[in-house]
């Protein structure tokens, strides 16, 4: 009996243990249960979608005030969470990326929404820099109209033309806002005429040319339809941003998509959530989708990439992502449940087997090669975590999945390298900086333009519209240097002591010109570019820089050695820095490279001198930002990038082999 009781007790204990083990995977920690409730709300808890919808993008040239305008719209509609949220977020709330806040520009397109007079207005904030034009191209398919923001002083600029041409090509009607109208230098009538003439030259339709105009100050938070100087101008600030929001409801047409067709959506943006996994954002092109609906993802050729259920549906609400139970045609929604789908693919119901057409993006114009670091200091940076070619290639391939304007290809010259293609040196520089901050260590080649064949045996290269604004005294030197680089001056306008130049030049000529431009104009010049077209190869361009001072020794630099090298050029290193043979430590005064020993120490003797004779004074070493260093290096050089340092070096570190290659190239 005692044995039976013991056996029965053991069986009950084992049964309870098995029950606990079976239930264990279903028990989440408190933070996960709370997050699950927040992300999987029922229809009663979900944010209701209003019956009225408007989808609009804000487009403009860089630094014309798009992100600031979105800030004011959020605050006007009281969707930023009140004063407390405004105080925490500060200015430019939509610029959530660290580099965006540091650079003061928008890099990635972002979506927010507000509810105004019972209508949900989805707003897409887009970049203004030409290098990130792909972000604009991919989101224009999500909207039904655009708010074109133009600086009331600067007028139509290079990127203004680019984004306006894309919007007109898609048949979108612009709503024009002349921003920064509060400046004394504002010229609203002249800018409006410039804009009209630009749209006529782009062959805009009559309904597109009949655009409404508002006058606004995004910084002060108001907009008005009353022209400056007219009756009622004194009361321009009383309505805040209401005139702009009312005009959006009136001017922007509501979505006209088919809600009865099977669900389909093109993925425009991609994100990640720690609980739900990959998040896919896009505009519902047709049909309806509800929580737990079966869906799959189709590639451009119709191949099924992934299949699953919609485990989460979300809409943007100011700076938050809130759950909904159902989304209909015309809604901009985020879908969870397909971990392998990516940007450009079609997410749709299982009954659909043909993908929707993805937005067309202009091809890249610039490339560079990324290689593992082969220098003597490789792996010595304590912050470096990813050094191998496999890790580097995987990171770049991941970038191409969500950034449609970045492409990659195997490097034909080096099996360990990978070629990266983008829309400009700044875009590639942002990628390099992100990788550096993530702990990657690697080398990159100087950027190269992507050429094409014209079909008759000739070469085509990308040309850019270059807009320059400088003081009158610097205009002559800028014109001389750009024309020497095969640039052609198309317009010169001088007013109030400033000269504005419009020049068409090869993209490769502009790459190395920025640092010289800011030096020549003493930091007072403004230079912006935008891709124009592929045109016949312009021939050789004048040398961008002089020769290099190349280290022949490995060790720590000394003041004794550097003071002897200093008269031969400008140094990039100071005393006490570690260098190695083949590293570029300065720019030579002449055109030829010079080998120097920056680690040479003074011989120790019994000879005594006065303290004045021992004192060595060196000029401060020239320092480079990452993008300046990328533009500075030549074809036979590489840029060594680590989390803690950026160094320039020769591709071939051995000096004897370099000289042998030079002799071979001259034969």
């Amino acid at each position: 009996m005692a044995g039976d009781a013991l056996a029965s007790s053991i069986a009950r204990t084992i049964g309870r243990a098995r029950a606990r083990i079976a239930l264990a995977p279903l028990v989440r920690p408190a933070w996960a249960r709370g997050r699950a409730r927040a992300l999987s709300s029922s229809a009663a808890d979900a944010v209701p979608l209003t019956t009225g919808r408007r989808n609009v993008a804000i487009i403009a040239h860089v630094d014309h005030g798009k992100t600031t305008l979105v800030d004011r719209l959020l605050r006007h509609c009281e969707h930023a969470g009140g004063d407390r949220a405004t105080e925490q977020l500060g200015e430019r709330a939509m610029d959530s990326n660290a580099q965006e806040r540091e650079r003061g520009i928008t890099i990635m397109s972002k979506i927010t929404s507000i509810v105004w007079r019972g209508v949900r207005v989805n707003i897409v904030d887009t970049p203004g820099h030409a290098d990130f034009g792909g972000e604009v191209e991919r989101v224009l398919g999500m909207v039904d109209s655009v708010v074109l923001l133009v600086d009331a002083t600067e007028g139509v600029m290079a990127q203004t033309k680019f984004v306006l041409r894309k919007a007109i090509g898609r048949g979108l009607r612009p709503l024009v806002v002349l921003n920064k109208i509060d400046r004394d230098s504002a010229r609203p009538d002249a800018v409006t005429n410039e804009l009209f003439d630009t749209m006529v030259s782009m062959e805009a339709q009559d309904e597109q040319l009949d655009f409404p105009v508002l006058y606004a100050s995004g910084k002060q938070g108001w907009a008005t339809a009353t022209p400056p100087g007219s009756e009622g101008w004194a009361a321009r600030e009383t309505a805040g941003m209401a005139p702009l929001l009312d005009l959006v409801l009136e001017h922007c047409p509501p979505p006209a998509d088919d809600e009865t067709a099977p669900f389909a959506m093109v993925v425009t943006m991609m994100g990640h959530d720690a609980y739900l996994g990959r998040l896919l954002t896009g505009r519902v092109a047709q049909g309806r989708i509800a929580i737990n609906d079966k869906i799959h993802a189709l590639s451009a050729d119709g191949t099924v990439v992934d299949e699953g259920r919609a485990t989460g549906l979300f809409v943007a609400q100011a700076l938050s992502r809130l759950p909904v139970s159902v989304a209909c045609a015309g809604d901009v929604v985020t879908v969870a449940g397909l971990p392998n789908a990516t940007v450009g693919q079609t997410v749709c119901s299982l009954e659909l087997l043909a993908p929707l057409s993805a937005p067309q993006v202009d091809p890249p114009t610039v490339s560079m090669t990324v290689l593992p670091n082969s220098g003597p200091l490789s792996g010595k940076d304590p912050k470096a975590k990813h050094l191998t070619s496999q890790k580097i290639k995987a990171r770049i391939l991941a970038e191409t999945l969500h950034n449609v304007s970045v492409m990659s290809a195997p490097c034909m010259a080096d099996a360990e390298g990978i070629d990266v293609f983008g829309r400009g040196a700044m875009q590639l520089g942002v990628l390099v900086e992100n990788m550096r901050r993530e702990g990657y260590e690697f080398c990159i080649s100087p950027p190269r333009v992507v050429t094409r064949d014209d079909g008759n045996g000739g070469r085509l290269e990308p040309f850019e519209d270059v807009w320059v604004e400088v003081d009158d005294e610097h205009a002559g030197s800028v014109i001389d240097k750009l024309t020497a680089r095969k640039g052609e001056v198309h317009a010169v306008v001088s007013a109030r002591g400033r000269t504005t130049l419009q020049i068409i030049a090869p993209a490769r000529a502009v790459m190395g010109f920025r640092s010289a431009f800011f030096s020549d104009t003493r930091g007072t010049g403004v230079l912006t570019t935008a891709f124009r077209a592929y045109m016949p190869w312009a021939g050789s361009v004048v040398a961008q820089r002089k020769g290099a001072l190349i280290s022949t020794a490995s060790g720590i630099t000394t003041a004794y050695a550097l003071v002897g090298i200093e008269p031969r050029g400008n140094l990039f290193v100071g005393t006490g820095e570690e260098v190695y043979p083949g590293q570029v430590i300065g720019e030579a005064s002449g055109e030829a490279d010079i080998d120097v020993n920056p680690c040479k120490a003074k011989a120790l003797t019994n000879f005594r001198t006065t303290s004045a004779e021992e004192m060595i004074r060196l000029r401060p070493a020239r320092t480079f930002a990452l993008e300046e260093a990328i533009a500075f290096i030549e074809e036979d050089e590489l840029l060594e990038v680590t989390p803690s340092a950026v160094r320039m070096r020769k591709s071939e570190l051995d000096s004897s082999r370099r000289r042998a290659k030079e002799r071979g190239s001259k034969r």
Side-chain angles (χ1 to χ4, degrees):
M1 295 293 293
D4 293 342
L6 178 62
S8 177
S9 175
I10 293 173
R12 287 195 300 272
T13 302
I14 294 174
R16 287 194 296 269
R18 286 176 176 172
R20 284 196 299 271
I21 294 172
L23 291 173
L26 301 178
V27 179
R28 302 189 183 102
W31 65 267
R33 292 196 297 272
R35 186 166 182 80
R37 286 193 297 270
L39 296 176
S40 303
S41 300
S42 63
D45 298 329
V47 176
L49 285 178
T50 56
T51 55
R53 295 184 298 275
R54 300 293 189 275
N55 299 320
V56 63
I58 300 181
I59 59 175
H61 183 78
V62 63
D63 200 32
H64 278 196
K66 299 179 302 301
T67 305
T68 301
L69 186 72
V70 175
D71 282 353
R72 297 304 180 264
L73 292 174
L74 291 173
R75 294 182 184 183
H76 185 86
C77 296
E78 298 181 356
H79 276 300
D83 295 338
R84 181 180 178 185
T86 302
E87 181 181 353
Q88 292 176 348
L89 294 171
E91 297 295 326
R92 295 187 292 114
M94 294 292 288
D95 286 347
S96 56
N97 185 287
Q99 285 203 63
E100 289 180 326
R101 290 193 169 274
E102 293 171 10
R103 296 170 181 263
I105 62 174
T106 301
I107 296 175
M108 303 292 291
S109 293
K110 304 174 190 67
I111 297 177
T112 185
S113 75
I114 55 179
V115 176
W116 180 251
R117 305 196 191 282
V119 178
R120 176 172 296 277
V121 181
N122 294 310
I123 302 173
V124 183
D125 183 23
T126 62
H129 198 283
D131 285 19
F132 310 107
E135 292 290 314
V136 180
E137 293 169 320
R138 69 172 180 166
V139 300
L140 287 182
M142 301 172 61
V143 300
D144 302 298
S145 184
V146 294
V147 174
L148 177 64
L149 208 62
V150 183
D151 190 302
T153 299
E154 295 182 356
V156 179
M157 301 292 285
Q159 186 69 359
T160 310
K161 293 183 177 181
F162 172 81
V163 295
L164 184 58
R165 184 179 294 109
K166 295 296 180 181
I168 289 176
R170 296 190 65 90
L172 302 176
R173 294 179 59 200
L175 184 164
V176 176
V177 176
L178 299 184
N179 196 27
K180 306 181 184 181
I181 195 68
D182 53 310
R183 290 183 174 180
D184 294 336
S185 57
R187 46 189 189 96
D189 294 337
V191 171
T192 303
N193 292 333
E194 288 177 13
L195 183 59
F196 184 85
D197 293 341
T198 301
M199 294 179 66
V200 170
S201 66
M202 295 177 181
E203 300 180 353
Q205 301 297 320
D206 291 342
E207 59 271 14
Q208 292 174 322
L209 292 173
D210 187 20
F211 53 83
V213 179
L214 289 182
Y215 309 93
S217 172
K219 185 177 181 180
Q220 298 179 6
W222 55 265
T224 180
T226 304
S230 302
E231 183 179 356
W233 176 251
R236 59 189 179 276
E237 301 182 21
T238 57
M241 303 304 296
L244 175 56
L245 293 168
D246 290 338
L247 190 57
V248 167
L249 299 188
E250 175 187 347
H251 180 77
C252 178
D257 302 302
D258 185 5
E259 295 188 9
T260 62
F263 164 73
M265 176 189 84
V266 175
V267 179
T268 307
M269 301 180 184
M270 188 172 69
H272 182 79
D273 181 86
Y275 179 69
L276 290 173
R278 183 167 293 185
L279 302 176
L280 309 171
T281 301
R283 171 176 171 160
V284 181
Q286 60 185 46
R288 298 164 59 91
I289 182 173
I291 292 288
N292 290 325
D293 280 357
K294 290 185 177 181
I295 53 176
H296 63 188
L298 302 177
S299 62
D301 59 1
T303 304
V304 177
V305 178
D306 200 1
E307 185 173 334
R309 290 181 179 271
T311 57
L313 292 176
F314 308 93
V315 295
Q317 179 81 355
L319 305 180
S320 304
R321 184 191 301 125
L322 300 181
V324 295
S325 56
V326 178
C328 305
D331 289 327
V332 177
V333 66
T334 298
V335 181
L338 297 179
N340 298 318
T342 186
V343 173
Q345 296 177 351
T346 301
V347 175
C348 56
S349 302
L350 299 184
E351 56 192 287
L352 287 182
L353 299 177
L356 301 176
S357 58
Q360 296 298 316
V361 178
D362 290 343
T365 58
V366 178
S367 71
M368 66 169 52
T369 302
V370 182
L371 302 158
N373 186 9
S374 58
L377 301 182
S378 175
K380 293 187 177 181
D381 190 332
K383 297 181 181 179
K385 297 180 291 186
H386 311 293
L387 290 82
T388 64
S389 61
Q390 290 83 0
K391 290 286 188 71
I392 295 171
K393 291 178 180 179
R395 172 63 180 84
I396 292 174
L397 291 175
E399 182 73 17
T400 61
L401 292 179
H402 68 84
N403 193 336
V404 294
S405 59
V406 174
M407 303 179 184
S408 66
C411 178
M412 297 293 102
D414 192 327
E416 291 191 336
I418 182 171
D419 290 335
V420 186
F421 301 84
R423 297 284 284 272
M426 176 177 282
Q427 183 185 36
L428 297 180
V430 168
L431 172 59
V432 170
E433 178 64 21
N434 284 333
M435 293 177 63
R436 186 183 72 83
R437 297 184 182 191
E438 294 166 11
Y440 287 84
E441 181 176 320
F442 50 94
C443 289
I444 58 175
S445 71
R448 308 175 295 269
V449 296
V450 178
T451 60
R452 297 179 180 176
D453 189 352
D454 64 357
N456 298 317
R459 266 196 305 178
L460 301 176
E461 65 172 325
F463 275 67
E464 294 182 339
D465 285 318
V466 183
W467 292 72
V468 176
E469 183 182 343
V470 296
D471 293 336
D472 291 342
E473 59 185 286
H474 303 308
S477 62
V478 172
I479 292 175
D480 290 342
K481 290 193 174 182
L482 277 177
T483 52
R485 289 170 166 82
K486 308 296 184 181
E488 295 183 1
V489 180
H490 278 239
V492 179
V493 179
S494 182
R496 298 185 180 92
R498 299 279 285 182
T499 300
T500 301
L501 308 172
Q502 182 183 358
I503 301 173
I504 299 176
R508 58 192 168 97
V510 183
M511 285 180 188
F513 176 68
R514 290 183 182 273
S515 59
F517 169 78
F518 291 118
S519 176
D520 292 345
T521 60
R522 299 174 185 173
T524 62
V526 178
L527 185 148
T528 56
T529 61
F531 172 74
R532 181 178 182 87
Y534 270 86
M535 302 171 68
W537 182 264
S540 60
V541 177
V542 296
Q544 304 287 346
R545 53 158 250 213
K546 299 178 181 178
L549 299 177
I550 308 169
S551 172
T552 60
S554 178
I556 305 298
T557 58
T558 65
Y560 177 77
L562 295 179
V563 74
I565 300 172
E566 195 175 52
R568 311 176 78 174
N570 297 319
L571 293 175
F572 302 159
V573 297
T575 305
E577 297 187 26
E578 189 173 7
V579 297
Y580 55 83
Q583 180 177 339
V584 176
I585 65 165
E587 183 180 17
S589 301
E591 303 297 329
D593 293 343
I594 303 175
D595 291 335
V596 295
N597 180 5
C599 304
K600 183 179 179 181
K602 185 176 181 180
L604 299 177
T605 67
N606 290 330
F607 186 71
R608 298 291 185 266
T609 61
T610 64
S611 59
E613 292 174 336
E614 292 294 327
M615 187 177 297
I616 296 176
R617 292 186 176 90
L618 294 172
R619 293 193 302 268
R622 179 181 175 183
T623 58
F624 288 85
L626 176 62
E627 289 171 23
E628 292 176 339
I630 292 175
F632 186 84
I633 56 177
E634 296 286 353
E635 286 297 325
D636 63 337
E637 296 170 353
L638 296 174
L639 188 66
E640 181 181 306
V641 181
T642 75
S644 303
V646 175
R647 306 181 187 91
M648 287 174 272
R649 47 160 284 193
K650 289 293 182 180
S651 302
E652 178 56 66
L653 297 178
D654 186 84
S655 59
S656 60
R657 292 180 181 176
R658 282 200 308 272
R659 286 192 290 269
K661 287 183 178 180
E662 290 175 3
R663 289 193 296 268
S665 63
K666 292 179 181 179
R667 294 177 181 175

